[in-house]
Amino acid sequence: MLDPFPTSPSLLSTAIRPLASFFNLTTLPLHAHEVLLSTTFYFLIHLYVAPYISNLFIPKIYTSFNTRTRINWNVHIVSFVQSCIVSGLALWLLWNDQERGSLDWKGRVWGYTGATGLVQALALGYFVWDLWMCARYVEIFGWGMLAHGVSALSVFSLGFRPFVNFYAPTFILYELSSPFLNIHWALDKLHLTGSNYQLVNGILLITTFFSCRLCWGTYQSVRVFMDVWTALSSPGTHIVIAAPFIEEPATIPSVDEQAEVMRFAGDAVVPLWLAATYLGSNVVLNGLNWYWFAKMVETIRKRFEPGAKQRGGREKIEANGTATGAVKGKREVRMRKS
């Protein structure tokens, strides 16, 4: 499926070519405008939209937040919006992209479709913003979230070589659990700890997190490992330490859906560092998912212990980088008595 989004302005595509050439991100110029718009969109939500709607609908509660909690609140709003948009787009793509569904292992490793590139670009724009936030406020979100940001940015950037571009919307479905986790965190801040709202949302949260991140995510990780291993062990694959320098990244989008798929396959080269980086990042992300799930179950269980509602008035979830819960599906928090 071709990219349904308008093509990138030639000026922007030309400006991004040196960066794309340096990192061998062949298809990045085709989606640079989508990455830029996505990143800008999330910065605007964090800096302007989130504070505005919060002051409009919950002015007393929002103004009572300390600096850390207010930053976290705005981050959760960005996460909620992003997860809804990108998950919906990924589901639409998985349902409608016929070219993607017919790919063999070669297509899954070296193939490319414009629509998959769009999903990848929107996700990359978010992870650029996310990494900036994690690095700037590492004392709030912790080193685990910074490691997650680096891993996620690496994985979605490498898809523009293209490399395992096929799996971009697959792993984006991790985000199906994020709306419920953001709601769960917000209900604590709205003094609804232990309420029926939080109970129902908690059930949905655990169900989606377990099914999307642990079951689906682990299964797809095994598949991508198998595809990369097949590529590395195939007689026709050129295994190198580093790929040749690419002087001319793509700046003209495809017009034929079938020809587009293997347009950038080239000589079927797999740099060892590339395979190691992608698979290593995948392991980090999956390990964090299992860790966060355990912390999430522990945190939700505490919400419904006897006296949890009374404790809700005396305890606040402060985002200070120490984990006993999860924020945005991932952000670690600590229960601290005020």
Side-chain angles (χ1 to χ4, degrees), residues 31-105:
H31 302 279
H33 61 310
E34 296 160 352
V35 176
L36 180 60
L37 288 174
S38 175
T39 303
T40 303
F41 177 67
Y42 294 122
F43 269 108
L44 289 175
I45 292 178
H46 177 257
L47 294 174
Y48 301 106
V49 178
Y52 175 78
I53 63 175
S54 299
N55 279 309
L56 182 64
F57 291 104
I58 52 168
K60 292 183 178 180
I61 295 177
Y62 186 70
T63 54
S64 70
F65 291 156
N66 59 33
T67 301
R68 288 190 173 192
T69 305
R70 192 173 299 182
I71 290 172
N72 243 321
W73 177 273
N74 295 340
V75 164
H76 278 282
I77 292 179
V78 177
S79 172
F80 181 86
V81 173
Q82 181 266 348
S83 57
C84 291
I85 292 174
V86 78
S87 296
L89 183 60
L91 287 171
W92 170 80
L93 175 61
L94 292 173
W95 187 264
N96 291 284
D97 193 346
Q98 298 179 359
E99 290 75 31
R100 183 184 176 279
S102 62
L103 298 179
D104 58 7
W105 70 265

Side-chain angles (χ1 to χ4, degrees), residues 69-282:
T69 305
R70 192 173 299 182
I71 290 172
N72 243 321
W73 177 273
N74 295 340
V75 164
H76 278 282
I77 292 179
V78 177
S79 172
F80 181 86
V81 173
Q82 181 266 348
S83 57
C84 291
I85 292 174
V86 78
S87 296
L89 183 60
L91 287 171
W92 170 80
L93 175 61
L94 292 173
W95 187 264
N96 291 284
D97 193 346
Q98 298 179 359
E99 290 75 31
R100 183 184 176 279
S102 62
L103 298 179
D104 58 7
W105 70 265
K106 293 181 180 179
R108 292 193 296 270
V109 174
W110 293 296
Y112 162 86
T113 70
T116 302
L118 169 62
V119 173
Q120 188 174 290
L122 297 184
L124 181 61
Y126 170 78
F127 287 122
V128 169
W129 169 85
D130 183 65
L131 181 60
W132 166 261
M133 293 299 297
C134 291
R136 182 179 180 184
Y137 300 108
V138 67
E139 72 281 0
I140 295 178
F141 301 124
W143 291 100
M145 274 308 304
L146 184 60
H148 174 274
V150 173
S151 297
L153 189 68
S154 299
V155 167
F156 281 92
S157 296
L158 293 176
F160 286 111
R161 295 184 68 91
F163 181 72
V164 291
N165 178 266
F166 171 90
Y167 286 98
T170 298
F171 288 115
I172 277 295
L173 293 185
Y174 279 6
E175 294 298 321
L176 284 172
S177 65
S178 293
F180 302 109
L181 190 37
N182 290 315
I183 292 172
H184 180 85
W185 186 90
L187 288 173
D188 279 330
K189 297 304 177 186
L190 297 175
H191 311 302
L192 292 171
T193 300
S195 65
N196 290 333
Y197 300 109
Q198 197 170 56
L199 174 62
V200 173
N201 183 77
I203 294 172
L204 293 173
L205 168 58
I206 291 178
T207 301
T208 53
F209 196 100
F210 180 79
S211 58
C212 296
R213 290 177 180 263
L214 304 189
C215 296
W216 171 262
T218 302
Y219 167 68
Q220 293 299 330
S221 293
V222 172
R223 288 191 64 196
V224 74
F225 267 78
M226 292 176 62
D227 282 341
V228 173
W229 175 255
T230 302
L232 289 172
S233 59
S234 174
T237 302
H238 301 283
I239 302 175
V240 297
I241 301 300
F245 184 80
I246 298 177
E247 296 184 357
E248 296 294 335
T251 56
I252 301 176
S254 302
V255 294
D256 184 274
E257 295 179 343
Q258 295 296 331
E260 174 185 59
V261 174
M262 300 302 288
R263 174 185 173 187
F264 306 107
D267 297 325
V269 174
V270 177
L272 289 177
W273 72 265
L274 176 60
T277 300
Y278 185 91
L279 298 180
S281 297
N282 195 277

